[in-house]
Amino acid sequence: MKVFTVVGARPQFIKASVLSRAFLSSNIEEVLVHTGQHYDKDMSDVFFSELSIPSPSYNLAVGGGTHAQNTGRMLEKLEELMVAEKPDCVLVYGDTDSTLAGALAAAKLHIPIAHIEAGLRSFNRRMPEEINRVLTDHMSSLLFSPTEDAKRNLLAEGVSSEKIFVVGDVMYDATVFYSNRATKPSWVDQAGLEIDNFVLCTIHRAENTDSEDRMKNIFSGLADSCIPVILPMHPRTRKKLDSLSMLLPDIVRIVNPVSYLEMNWLEANCKLIATDSGGVQKEAYFHKKFCITMREETEWVELVDKGVNCLVGDSSDLIRSAINSSGFYDFSEFFYGRGDAGIKIVDVLKAYI
Ligand code: UD1
Ligand code: UDP
């Protein structure tokens, strides 16, 4: 059996580490293709070396363009490779432009598509990710959903239940697998950070970075934090922030993107997390940390229902008060499987192929 995996963006490398390991131990041949959507060392190479992900068989070097440019260029190159490699199935993760390109190229060649993280919905069609995930789900033969909620979304759109497998979340598999290898970033001591006394923050979502008003509101809320805010900054956000030339107080410390094992250390040792990332919202829960989500809606609705994730949009007042207040949060219920999603996916793939 030959699986053709398409990855391109940071969270996909982390998810692919789980499946690549499972494929290796099941003697399944994997052709790993990196589209090049993310290309900086600290957005790409670091994950391959740190998480022992096999080097990609191909790197398409497509990145830095608009959605259409990226997707179109990937599509052309992926089709060529799929024709040459003749895989039994194409595996795609999540909701990026690389996901859509991989799925679309495979669909036109009649190659079965397996979609990991199927069925998540924000119900906001202005998000590029929402378009990517809806289209990918409807082209896929095997839809691996992390939660029952995600399965319900697919059923409501008319996807046949026979194609849907609720397997848990591969990101939880990764957190479990790497939990005892979390690495303290070298700058933590010098920065005088105290355990459980800083906010870990990430921002990269287009709806925030592409709006000057939203960026200003969010950073003004963060600037009023009474404890240090550590912000490993996505290159997209850095470019936008530079263009705004905002003066930030010392309490907000901007650092380069960190590695996955460093991120795990920061998540485990912060007081709370403020983010607009999909993956980081869940990791906050895995590490039993309250999460402030700087978006209007989330795909991970169970966390909001449970009161451990608070949607604050770009309101500086809400960000300020959420950061500076404290409370008791219940992390006892678990929604994301048992850390064996990767194994379950491989079992389904074997049976299907
Ligand atoms: C993409 C995904 C988003 C995911 C995120 C993970 C889409 C539509 N969006 O968003 O769902 O949450 O990845 O991080 O696919 N850049 C660099 N160096 C890099 C990578 C990006 O400088 O290594 C800059 C470039 O200016 C690039 C911009 O960031 O044009 C945006 O990158 P892109 O991959 O298009 O989108 P992300 O915001 O990273
Ligand atoms: N992450 C990381 N270093 C960072 C920021 C995030 O390793 O500096 C990891 C994080 O732990 C999570 C994943 O990247 O596993 C989330 O990716 P991102 O926020 O870029 O994308 P999203 O999940 O929103 O699609």
Side-chain angles (χ1 to χ4, degrees):
M1 170 164 133
K2 190 197 261 191
V3 177
F4 185 107
T5 302
V6 181
V7 293
R10 171 167 67 186
Q12 296 171 326
F13 310 139
I14 295 159
K15 293 165 197 170
S17 75
V18 172
L19 264 295
S20 291
R21 199 167 28 252
F23 288 142
L24 263 180
S25 63
S26 306
N27 284 323
I28 293 173
E29 185 186 354
E30 182 182 35
V31 179
L32 186 63
V33 180
H34 188 331
T35 62
Q37 181 174 344
H38 285 178
Y39 45 87
D40 291 345
K41 270 201 164 54
D42 52 15
M43 293 294 289
S44 174
D45 294 6
V46 66
F47 299 99
F48 286 84
S49 52
E50 187 178 63
L51 307 182
S52 306
I53 307 168
S55 293
S57 313
Y58 303 95
N59 189 321
L60 311 183
V62 171
T66 64
H67 294 298
Q69 286 168 342
N70 284 349
T71 314
R73 288 170 190 154
M74 289 173 198
L75 197 53
E76 197 174 345
K77 296 185 180 196
L78 285 168
E79 180 186 62
E80 209 173 288
L81 289 177
M82 287 177 196
V83 169
E85 290 285 349
K86 300 186 180 47
D88 295 301
C89 108
V90 166
L91 184 69
V92 293
Y93 295 92
D95 51 23
T96 71
D97 290 340
S98 301
T99 315
L100 177 63
L104 195 49
K108 296 287 177 74
L109 293 171
H110 307 150
I111 304 169
I113 300 157
H115 184 205
I116 296 183
E117 273 199 350
L120 297 176
R121 295 290 181 267
S122 64
F123 302 102
N124 174 0
R125 289 281 172 112
R126 287 185 58 81
M127 283 179 76
E129 293 85 358
E130 185 77 352
I131 307 292
N132 292 342
R133 55 171 90 103
V134 170
L135 293 176
T136 301
D137 281 339
H138 285 265
M139 288 188 276
S140 296
S141 303
L142 297 172
L143 295 99
F144 294 105
S145 292
T147 61
E148 290 291 340
D149 240 5
K151 178 175 178 175
R152 272 190 288 279
N153 290 335
L154 292 170
L155 293 175
E157 290 173 15
V159 177
S160 156
S161 66
E162 284 166 20
K163 294 181 175 179
I164 310 169
F165 301 86
V166 180
V167 290
D169 193 323
V170 290
M171 292 194 84
Y172 182 57
D173 289 27
T175 298
V176 171
F177 187 82
Y178 293 107
S179 59
N180 58 5
R181 289 176 47 191
T183 309
K184 192 200 277 193
S186 57
W187 43 261
V188 162
D189 289 336
Q190 204 184 11
L193 279 195
E194 292 169 29
I195 301 291
D196 290 337
N197 200 33
F198 63 93
V199 178
L200 174 63
C201 178
T202 75
I203 305 168
H204 74 272
R205 197 63 57 195
E207 72 208 54
N208 287 328
T209 59
D210 291 0
S211 156
E212 193 171 321
D213 285 347
R214 288 185 73 93
M215 286 282 277
K216 284 186 172 156
N217 293 342
I218 288 170
F219 277 95
S220 126
L222 295 174
D224 288 335
S225 170
C226 54
I227 56 174
V229 177
I230 298 298
L231 206 168
M233 191 165 280
H234 191 290
R236 174 191 198 106
T237 317
R238 190 177 283 277
K239 283 173 193 165
K240 296 290 174 163
L241 195 65
D242 287 350
S243 72
L244 295 182
S245 33
M246 273 183 86
L247 275 181
L248 292 172
D250 289 346
I251 201 95
V252 181
R253 296 180 195 179
I254 292 173
V255 294
N256 288 333
V258 294
S259 76
Y260 178 70
L261 296 180
E262 290 175 330
M263 190 67 179
N264 266 264
W265 189 93
L266 293 167
E267 288 171 340
N269 290 291
C270 66
K271 179 180 176 211
L272 57 88
I273 291 178
T275 191
D276 60 7
S277 156
V280 176
Q281 286 178 66
K282 272 177 303 166
E283 287 171 348
Y285 195 73
F286 302 160
H287 291 283
K288 300 187 168 39
K289 304 291 171 166
F290 181 59
C291 184
I292 299 167
T293 300
M294 295 170 296
R295 288 181 51 194
E296 308 303 323
E297 72 279 305
T298 179
E299 297 77 19
W300 307 103
V301 284
E302 56 283 346
L303 300 179
V304 176
D305 293 345
K306 196 75 194 158
V308 294
N309 185 332
C310 170
L311 294 172
V312 294
D314 68 329
S315 159
S316 25
D317 285 345
L318 289 180
I319 294 170
R320 185 178 305 123
S321 62
I323 285 184
N324 292 330
S325 64
S326 49
F328 173 77
Y329 306 104
D330 177 7
F331 296 98
S332 57
E333 200 176 343
F334 204 67
F335 311 100
Y336 302 110
R338 298 177 176 191
D340 58 358
I343 291 167
K344 287 182 171 157
I345 291 168
V346 168
D347 286 345
V348 174
L349 280 174
K350 274 186 189 163
Y352 179 84
I353 302 295

